[in-house]
Amino acid sequence: MSFFSPDCDHCEDELTDIKKHIPELAAIQFIMISNRPLSLLTPFEKKHAIKNFKNISIISDPNNTMARYYGIGGYPSMVIYNAQHRATKKYLTSMVNHVGILQGANEP
């Protein structure tokens, strides 16, 4: 799960890296969560052609329910789960590249 804001430059950089390495990350489901209104998320989704990526979804969480649950205080932040649905890595207010994502997803 990636917590982001559509107006965050580091969030854009993180997503750009994910998209660039999508063949390596094809087995990973990315759920991008933002507390920003849909009026800001829709242009972001179009700009990054999210519909072209079957394993990337954007979710609006206007009440910050998920961010509070995971203790997210800033963007970008990411919680990585492995195939056994266990959280293996938590990056708070820190960019993660595709290598870090793969490492977290492959941890037992």
Side-chain angles (χ1 to χ4, degrees):
M1 286 186 288
S2 173
F3 294 86
F4 80 103
S5 175
D7 55 358
C8 162
D9 291 337
H10 293 300
C11 300
E12 293 237 10
D13 293 343
E14 186 175 79
L15 179 57
T16 298
D17 182 66
I18 289 168
K19 289 173 24 183
K20 181 178 175 183
H21 297 280
I22 206 70
E24 298 165 65
L25 302 168
I28 299 171
Q29 180 65 41
F30 292 92
I31 302 170
M32 299 182 66
I33 302 168
S34 178
N35 65 350
R36 300 302 195 259
L38 288 175
S39 62
L40 294 177
L41 295 180
T42 301
F44 180 87
E45 187 174 18
K46 288 180 182 177
K47 174 182 176 182
H48 289 283
I50 297 299
K51 289 183 180 182
N52 296 334
F53 300 94
K54 294 180 182 184
N55 61 332
I56 302 176
S57 303
I58 293 181
I59 296 173
S60 176
D61 182 19
N63 296 321
N64 261 345
T65 303
M66 297 295 287
R68 278 196 309 276
Y69 177 82
Y70 286 100
I72 305 301
Y75 306 115
S77 292
M78 189 177 289
V79 179
I80 301 174
Y81 284 81
N82 64 14
Q84 292 74 36
H85 308 284
R86 185 177 74 79
T88 59
K89 296 281 184 189
K90 186 176 180 181
Y91 298 93
L92 299 177
T93 323
S94 169
M95 259 181 63
V96 184
N97 67 17
H98 67 286
V99 174
I101 293 167
L102 285 169
Q103 287 173 345
N106 290 320
E107 278 191 24

